[in-house]
Amino acid sequence: MGEASDEDDYFDTVSVNSPRSKRKLNNNDYIALSRNTLYHSIADFERGSMEMTELTRDDDHKVSGNKNIRTYRQWRDRSWRYFSNSELQVDFVLAYDQQGKEDHVHKRRTFESNLQSTGLILEREVNQRIHFVKIHVPKEVLCQYAEILKLRLPIKDNNEQLPRDNFVVSTIQKCLEKCRVGLDPQKFPPRKYQLTAEFSKDKDYLFDMDSPDFFNDSVKIAVTSYILEREKFGPEDQNKGIKQLIAEGIYRAAYPLHDGEIDDVGSKRYLLFHEWASVSKWIKFQPVDDIKDYFGVKIALYFAWLGFYTHMLIPAAILGVICLIYGAITLKTDTLSRDICNLDITMCPLCDKYCDYWKLSESCTYSKIQHVIDNPATISFAVFMSIWGAVYLELWKRYSAEIAHRWGLTGFDLQAEPPRPEFLLRLSNAKKKKLNVVTQLQEPVVPFWRVKLPSIILSFTVAFFWALIALGVVIGIVIYRMSLLTSDALYKDRTSVRIYVVPVTAGLLNLVCIIILNMIYDRLAVWLTEMELQRTQTQFDDSLALKIYIFQFVNYYSSIFYIAFFKGKFVGYPSKYNKVFGYRQEECNPGGCLMELTIQLAIIMIGKQAINSVMEMLIPLCFKMYNTFVVSKKLEDIDTQKELIGCNQWTADYNLSDLESGSLFSEYLEMVLQYGFVTLFIIAFPLAPLFALINNVLEMRLDAKKFIKYYRRPVPQRVKNIGVWYRLLAVVGRIAIVSNALIIAFSSHFIPKLVYVLKVNPQHSELGFLDFTLAFFNTTDFKPGTAPESPTFNISMCRYAEFRNPPDDVHKYKRPLIYWHILAARLAFVVVYQNLVTFIVTAVEWTIPDVSRKLNDRIKREAYKVNEIIIKNESEKAKRKLHRNVGKRDSVLSVATVYHDAISEAGDSRSNRSTAYYDTGDS
């Protein structure tokens, strides 16, 4: 035994000392104690009561006790997921601590007894500190609850063929096959299309219920979870459900089992881990149908949405790179950057007293990079991205409708949702109760005016206060940037500090503050939402999503909105600067603020994605390492052992983290925030789709690896769509139209150049545009104490980026008429752009239906065919029944006639019984 390989582990993972009791599978008294872990086997061995059947590592030796098990590996696999000494597979597991209160023991017994009364088969394992109740759901229970849950299951004798794809779709599929991005047909065989219908035991002719794979693991887990959520453990109507039992500490966990370990070659877990969760398979499609079978619709739909979104980013990423290439190619012909680099222009000081005059040519490199970002191609790209957002959302609705139908969700709707366990726990002592008209259960009532409304007001007030704190952080960073303008560091290297160091350090500081605020607020938001006493999980999630997204929106985007719309817009002029807290406001480079906006976007977006990816993998790994460390430290003292030795599937899975219902919340939130970076400020960062594409390719595989390797298998949940996140994406898309219009109008040089070329320059060219954008200032007009103390240049005139009258004008330093023309053009552009793009987006939404005509026809065709099968079989059943009744009636008539004539004349009362029997048969 000690020489067994690591692959085969130890034989005594299942104690053969366990009593082979006779079990009655359909008897409610069936609960057996199994002793099948290493912990208890060692104890047995030490007591000298261990009897072991000799087994070797070879596959040539038979195992006694089961004629179907011939090798050690087969025996090990059977013990890994099955009841002890039986062929029953473990479908669900409940775990509890052996050191429980007496009240807890009573509630557990009541709960488990009620589970047995529903038909579930239970087996208790009490050999380690953590005890387990293994649950198997029989076929009869599956049939009963599959009908209650209205599950759509495949029907038999299905010869339905999908309509052929059109030429465009088939051509694209052939191109993808040549690119080898499809799934390996050997590992993921193409599935035959099957018609589905709502399961009904009475319509046994529709379903092949004798097939061993008719009820797959997902159905078994869903049915078991449904029963666990609704069985009572106490006398009150609210005393029910496994979630409430876990919340009260009566059970420590309840979870379905993985179908094997990651290194078990024949398991679905192994297949998904190596073929889907591997980063090396990044170019391959996702096996969404297999993901749905293993994790359920809710998680599969998230990965389907993420994959669809990632594929839609490909054309956006390509066009974004083309825009930058175009900007680089046309750099030599850009008059603005050429003039900045070649002309000898002296600029006014950037701060009072301490700053010196500076040469505009110092920002030559900055202006070249600015042109690469801000060029005519990016304007077209912004329009494309606005339309792209609408097309993406509409195509996703069509695609999600198709996969929802394929997964049997057509017509699905959530049933009456039960109260949250936390809600019932907090109101367990409530005296006032009310009858729920849907569930017909007495539920505690939360006084609206006295409790619920004040808690909601307080909750959102605190959330609003934290949003103000996020704005305060942005203001603090702005003051930091303004204070650096007068720091000693500027004297050594004014240009690099002002143009590069200040934006980069400010962006990094903003990112750190964002992460810290998020860590604090995420926990605060959950506490605030709990305080609101939301009855159902859906209400709780919606309220939490609203608070967190509003805060995240302010936290991530406020600094970017400041640079895009406020920085450099209200500076004033050298003799009259508009100051904040005694500091002069930041000025944009004469080339514009777009370069700085790009730096800020790149730091926050890329930094956020990198940190999230690392944390998502690091945190589950740390939990697993901690559990392993605890186990290794406790092995020396079995009596004080707190954790488990993973010697079967339920103990191995117990040491994994629980995939909570809100786990997908953070995943969706991350992607929706990324979507904002991609759409809201695309004019300033054309590479945003490319970085999002790279991140998402890794995100899909890392999320898959995390779910498979570090988390327990979740309970499958049925959903029709991605819920509230679609509406948030639609709102962000509409805001993006206005945002990009404002950035083009007020942060780029597009409108001033257009006015200059059309109205100011007689040759209608861009020559002289730089001089047009710079105003003159007489150095003698400085207020006392604001002029440079030690000027390097002895000049009488300096320039600054503004549209103002020269000092020799009657209305010196006032706004000229051309400024108002440019402002009017900017506002007109915003209105035209917003309305034009909105019209195009609306036309796209109207043109692309939510459900394709082909799918709509298929749904109708399938419903018609299923109804025809039902009508045909019901008609045949009625005919057979009628034939039997007619035969029975003829027999009754003959008997009744003979005896009626002979007896009625004698007045025997039996004639009445004969007549009555005849009437019953006739009916």
Side-chain angles (χ1 to χ4, degrees), residues 39 137 166 284 324 420 556:
Y39 171 77
V137 51
N166 56 41
K284 298 286 187 180
L324 294 186
R420 298 175 61 243
Y556 279 104

Side-chain angles (χ1 to χ4, degrees), residues 730-748:
V731 171
V732 170
R734 294 290 181 164
I735 296 175
I737 297 175
V738 181
S739 173
N740 284 302
L742 293 173
I743 292 176
I744 295 171
F746 291 95
S747 296
S748 73

Side-chain angles (χ1 to χ4, degrees), residues 86-102:
S86 79
E87 300 294 322
L88 298 180
Q89 179 177 313
V90 179
D91 297 318
F92 220 93
V93 170
L94 308 180
Y96 62 94
D97 197 324
Q98 67 175 1
Q99 297 178 353
K101 300 178 182 178
E102 184 177 351

Side-chain angles (χ1 to χ4, degrees), residues 607-651:
K608 169 186 172 296
Q609 293 180 163
I611 292 174
N612 283 347
S613 297
V614 172
M615 295 301 292
E616 285 180 0
M617 294 304 298
L618 192 61
I619 291 176
L621 179 60
C622 289
F623 273 113
K624 188 172 183 180
M625 291 175 63
Y626 171 76
N627 289 338
T628 304
F629 172 76
V630 170
V631 170
S632 64
K633 296 296 290 184
K634 297 297 181 180
L635 282 176
E636 299 176 359
D637 188 0
I638 296 178
D639 292 336
T640 60
Q641 181 179 344
K642 294 184 179 180
E643 296 299 332
L644 297 172
I645 302 170
C647 48
N648 46 45
Q649 193 66 62
W650 47 92
T651 53

Side-chain angles (χ1 to χ4, degrees), residues 75 157 167 185 193 196 262 265 273 298 308 388 399 410 413 463 485 492 499 595 612 635 664 689 732 739 804:
W75 173 87
D157 300 330
F167 174 76
Y193 183 75
T196 61
I262 292 175
V265 178
F273 183 77
K298 187 174 183 179
F308 186 86
W388 171 89
Y399 178 67
T410 302
D413 195 7
L485 295 176
K492 299 177 181 178
I499 296 179
M595 174 64 182
N612 283 347
L635 282 176
L664 288 181
V732 170
S739 173
R804 292 187 180 273

Side-chain angles (χ1 to χ4, degrees), residues 144-161:
Q144 177 184 356
Y145 282 90
E147 186 172 10
I148 293 174
L149 291 172
K150 299 183 183 300
L151 297 180
R152 295 186 67 89
L153 298 175
I155 65 175
K156 61 183 178 181
D157 300 330
N158 174 28
N159 297 319
E160 184 73 11
Q161 298 293 329

